[in-house]
Amino acid sequence: MSFYLFSSVICLLFAPGGFSAAVGPSGPMNVKAALTKPNMGWTSPNILSFPGQQSFANATERWTVFDPPTYSASITVRSESDVVKAVNIARDLKVPFLATGGRHGYGTTLGRLQNGISIDLSLLKSVSVNKDARTMTIGGGVRFRDMVDPLFAAGLQIQTGTCSCPGMVGVTIGAGIGRLQGVYGLLSDALISATVVTASGKVIQVSENSHSDLFWGIRGAGANFGVITSATYRVQPLINDGIFTSIDLIFPASKNVSYFNTIASMVNGNGTFPAKLALISNVLYNTTSNQTEIVANMAYAGPQDEALRAMAPVLALQPVFTNLTSVSWKNLNTATSFGLDAVICEPNGIRSIYSAALRTLSAESSISAFEKLSDFYAKYPEGRGTAISLESFPPQKVREIADSSSAYPWRQTATYLLVELSWQPGSTVGDASKALALDLRKDFAATSGYPDLSVYVNYAHGDEKLEQIYSAEKLPRLAALKKTWDPENLFAFNNPLPTHYP
Ligand SMILES: Cc1cc2nc3c(=O)[nH]c(=O)nc-3n(C[C@H](O)[C@H](O)[C@H](O)COP(=O)(O)OP(=O)(O)OC[C@H]3O[C@@H](n4cnc5c(N)ncnc54)[C@H](O)[C@@H]3O)c2cc1C
Ligand SMILES: *[C@@H]1O[C@H](CO)[C@@H](O)[C@H](O)[C@H]1NC(C)=O
Ligand SMILES: *[C@@H]1O[C@H](CO)[C@@H](O)[C@H](O)[C@H]1NC(C)=O
Ligand SMILES: *[C@@H]1O[C@H](CO)[C@@H](O)[C@H](O)[C@H]1NC(C)=O
Ligand SMILES: *[C@@H]1O[C@H](CO)[C@@H](O)[C@H](O)[C@H]1NC(C)=O
Ligand SMILES: *[C@@H]1O[C@H](CO)[C@@H](O)[C@H](O)[C@H]1NC(C)=O
Ligand SMILES: *[C@@H]1O[C@H](CO)[C@@H](O)[C@H](O)[C@H]1NC(C)=O
């Protein structure tokens, strides 16, 4: 996703949660006393941090500060046994907790956690590549940027998300969509096994051959069942020696109709959208030209001649700016899209996001969204940091893999819509922004080719119905799994599953 105009990000120091008068018997003081008891057996006393300390701010800093969870303590675990202790002590104290990886989760249900315990996984950063077996095992806190170099050095690659900063396991357990999914499937399709610390504090191996029910569930609803301390993935030989063709493009407002008509006909499966191509289209406000514009990136897993043939319909529209480059797989996220990954990944911004999964991309909805967003920019100058992204990731391989193989319900999706609201602290544009987002989401859902609004769980805002996230078809089995593995709903803060459905 893309926040092109985030140059004006203000790096607030993360505000620790206010301690309300309503903290129960396990209030902050009791939590601190319990965690700091001698003989707790933490791998190091330094792993604990509390509000007011810089180490606490570091351990709990998030990508968005919109509707955030708050904590009275953080445990920066260094081992699996720390995780087991942390889960056991939080459960026994009846203090809610959240295990965090890359801290890029933005769903507003996370904000229901107040004065909880943060189990910060960021130091579980190991990466080990088995070149012969073509597997990679990572720690539960690894971000995409931590594993690209060692994997590429072994002559291998894997499907990733499109930014360098999110947690790899956090992305995987929702589904893991991205540029190479047309060839390899979802990132969760590449998962072979995971080590999970359960709600009861047991450590189990989860795979096709071990607790296969849970293996099905963690690939699509994985924030609901346990803490993953390590994960093993199938990795792939390089395509074209790992060299991609990437092109950054800008189209002025006057091209909006032809642009959306063209990309809609490409992605809606008339055979011109190859599995190796990915197209990300952003509508945003350009503060130099004072116009709404389309800023896009196309990346192709292959050489330039092949790529240019695949991209031809878009290039024929004569963009005002193009930058055609060859990029190695390991730099795909950081070097493409105008190099804005660094800006997009900045933490501590106000970002509120609404999304819809689109089986078909409607040119009419896109054109109408372009008009509505332009009107919004004109009316609300403080809303000019808001943008729309349409991520058209090829669905070929994702659709080929059986829908029943995992809990992810939206395998038919060809484009993911993100309405990315953003504003500066103190601005009053939030209400108007939300109204715009709800309106656009509704429009796109109506033309999406799905019977109802359908939302990828990791892109969900948090106001959707359970069925719109998990699907009525998958929910009975997911609820049964929740009842088995987390009957007390300790993993309660990321679009939580019920223990019974319907
Ligand atoms: C800039 C940006 C780019 C993105 N790009 C993509 C993309 O290209 N493709 C895509 O599919 N998604 C993408 N996403 C969405 C992403 O999948 C979610 O934000 C995801 O939840 C991030 O995981 P995290 O570990 O960074 O976040 P966190 O906030 O740390 O965690 C999110 C949720 O996952 C759980 N979790 C994280 N790690 C573990 C673990 N080891 N064990 C158990 N639970 C865990 C947490 O408990 C929490 O419920 C993007 C998000 C952002 C902000
Ligand atoms: C907090 O993070 C900053 C920036 O990464 C780092 O320089 C600093 O040493 C960290 N402080 C603590 C106490 O962890
Ligand atoms: C979108 O394109 C159409 C056709 O060129 C044009 O009439 C319209 O003004 C454009 N919209 C905006 C907001 O510029
Ligand atoms: C498919 O879409 C492309 C892009 O708009 C177009 O050039 C081509 O003519 C279309 N092909 C068919 C068979 O409709
Ligand atoms: C864009 O707007 C700014 C501030 O409103 C103004 O200073 C500038 O001249 C405008 N630029 C153009 C190209 O109209
Ligand atoms: C914004 O518009 C200006 C003037 O038309 C153009 O030179 C520039 O490339 C655009 N920038 C972005 C980031 O779109
Ligand atoms: C084109 O993209 C490359 C990276 O892929 C970057 O180094 C270069 O500066 C870009 N050129 C322009 C003119 O934006």
Side-chain angles (χ1 to χ4, degrees):
M1 71 184 54
S2 315
F3 284 79
Y4 283 94
L5 286 188
F6 233 84
S7 47
S8 47
V9 156
I10 292 189
C11 286
L12 307 164
L13 193 66
F14 182 76
F19 297 120
S20 74
V23 248
S26 296
M29 289 323 294
N30 290 345
V31 169
K32 186 167 184 175
L35 295 179
T36 53
K37 263 198 302 220
N39 309 322
M40 278 297 296
W42 301 114
T43 45
S44 151
N46 297 335
I47 73 175
L48 302 174
S49 64
F50 301 94
Q53 299 175 340
Q54 184 60 43
S55 50
F56 178 85
N58 284 12
T60 57
E61 179 180 71
R62 293 163 50 72
W63 180 73
T64 176
V65 294
F66 183 76
D67 223 341
T70 67
Y71 309 100
S72 61
S74 182
I75 309 172
T76 299
V77 295
R78 293 202 178 160
S79 67
E80 194 175 279
S81 78
D82 283 341
V83 177
V84 171
K85 283 192 186 77
V87 168
N88 285 340
I89 195 166
R91 187 191 56 240
D92 294 349
L93 289 171
K94 297 195 191 311
V95 179
F97 66 87
L98 184 72
T100 63
R103 287 180 248 130
H104 278 60
Y106 56 70
T108 55
T109 59
L110 295 169
R112 293 180 198 159
L113 173 58
Q114 294 292 307
N115 292 308
I117 294 177
S118 137
I119 304 180
D120 165 27
L121 306 173
S122 63
L123 290 186
L124 302 185
K125 278 215 253 239
S126 60
V127 175
S128 104
V129 178
N130 185 331
K131 204 173 162 174
D132 298 328
R134 287 201 185 141
T135 62
M136 172 176 67
T137 299
I138 61 163
V142 163
R143 299 180 187 224
F144 288 125
R145 63 181 178 220
D146 301 324
M147 64 79 196
V148 286
D149 287 339
L151 187 57
F152 194 72
L156 298 162
Q157 63 185 18
I158 188 170
Q159 61 272 53
T160 66
T162 53
C163 282
S164 65
C165 44
M168 183 150 172
V169 171
V171 173
T172 305
I173 60 182
I177 60 169
R179 290 185 170 117
L180 279 168
Q181 66 171 43
V183 188
Y184 301 143
L186 302 167
L187 180 55
S188 54
D189 293 328
L191 187 69
I192 297 172
S193 65
T195 306
V196 180
V197 176
T198 67
S200 64
K202 287 209 184 69
V203 180
I204 59 172
Q205 293 303 317
V206 175
S207 70
E208 215 59 86
N209 306 316
S210 171
H211 303 296
S212 59
D213 58 339
L214 191 54
F215 186 58
W216 177 86
I218 59 170
R219 291 171 299 143
N224 274 281
F225 303 111
V227 182
I228 295 175
T229 53
S230 77
T232 298
Y233 296 84
R234 188 174 309 108
V235 295
Q236 306 284 348
L238 301 175
I239 298 174
N240 192 40
D241 294 328
I243 304 300
F244 283 65
T245 302
S246 164
I247 184 161
D248 292 340
L249 305 149
I250 299 178
F251 293 94
S254 59
K255 294 278 173 81
N256 74 86
V257 171
S258 50
Y259 182 81
F260 289 117
N261 278 328
T262 302
I263 69 161
S265 74
M266 278 173 79
V267 304
N268 291 339
N270 80 355
T272 54
F273 200 76
K276 288 180 179 173
L277 182 63
L279 163 64
I280 301 175
S281 312
N282 306 284
V283 178
L284 49 81
Y285 188 79
N286 180 325
T287 49
T288 308
S289 63
N290 298 331
Q291 286 202 355
T292 312
E293 65 182 17
I294 297 165
V295 172
N297 171 265
M298 290 192 283
Y300 184 88
Q304 289 200 358
D305 53 340
E306 250 177 59
L308 290 173
R309 276 198 297 280
M311 297 168 177
V314 175
L315 299 180
L317 300 172
Q318 296 178 316
V320 287
F321 173 87
T322 59
N323 185 9
L324 177 70
T325 52
S326 292
V327 179
S328 107
W329 171 79
K330 71 182 168 120
N331 298 329
L332 195 57
N333 286 339
T334 49
T336 58
S337 291
F338 300 81
L340 280 166
D341 177 74
V343 179
I344 297 164
C345 287
E346 277 288 329
N348 297 318
I350 298 174
R351 286 106 163 194
S352 167
I353 294 160
Y354 292 79
S355 177
L358 314 176
R359 200 186 154 126
T360 51
L361 174 63
S362 160
E364 290 69 30
S365 295
S366 307
I367 293 162
S368 149
F370 192 91
E371 294 298 322
K372 287 178 179 174
L373 190 55
S374 297
D375 293 347
F376 174 83
Y377 290 148
K379 196 160 168 199
Y380 301 103
E382 291 180 0
R384 289 175 181 170
T386 283
I388 297 174
S389 288
L390 290 163
E391 298 179 333
S392 300
F393 297 138
Q396 284 87 328
K397 186 68 183 180
V398 181
R399 288 179 179 172
E400 203 182 298
I401 294 170
D403 181 67
S404 59
S405 70
S406 78
Y408 182 65
W410 314 121
R411 283 185 181 271
Q412 296 302 315
T413 306
T415 299
Y416 290 85
L417 164 75
L418 294 150
V419 183
E420 303 159 348
L421 308 177
S422 180
W423 58 85
Q424 294 300 314
S427 167
T428 55
V429 80
D431 288 346
S433 305
K434 178 180 172 181
L436 171 77
L438 291 173
D439 183 33
L440 296 181
R441 186 177 68 177
K442 186 159 156 261
D443 274 2
F444 274 100
T447 56
S448 70
Y450 284 117
D452 189 13
L453 170 65
S454 304
V455 184
Y456 168 30
V457 60
N458 279 8
Y459 281 6
H461 182 78
D463 63 335
E464 301 87 352
K465 293 189 201 131
L466 275 178
E467 292 82 357
Q468 292 170 333
I469 296 175
Y470 294 113
S471 83
E473 200 193 335
K474 306 266 183 187
L475 272 164
R477 188 170 171 190
L478 285 171
L481 274 176
K482 183 77 173 173
K483 193 168 180 204
T484 303
W485 292 100
D486 186 24
E488 292 170 53
N489 196 22
L490 302 188
F491 296 92
F493 299 103
N494 195 335
N495 302 295
L497 289 166
T499 51
H500 291 95
Y501 185 88

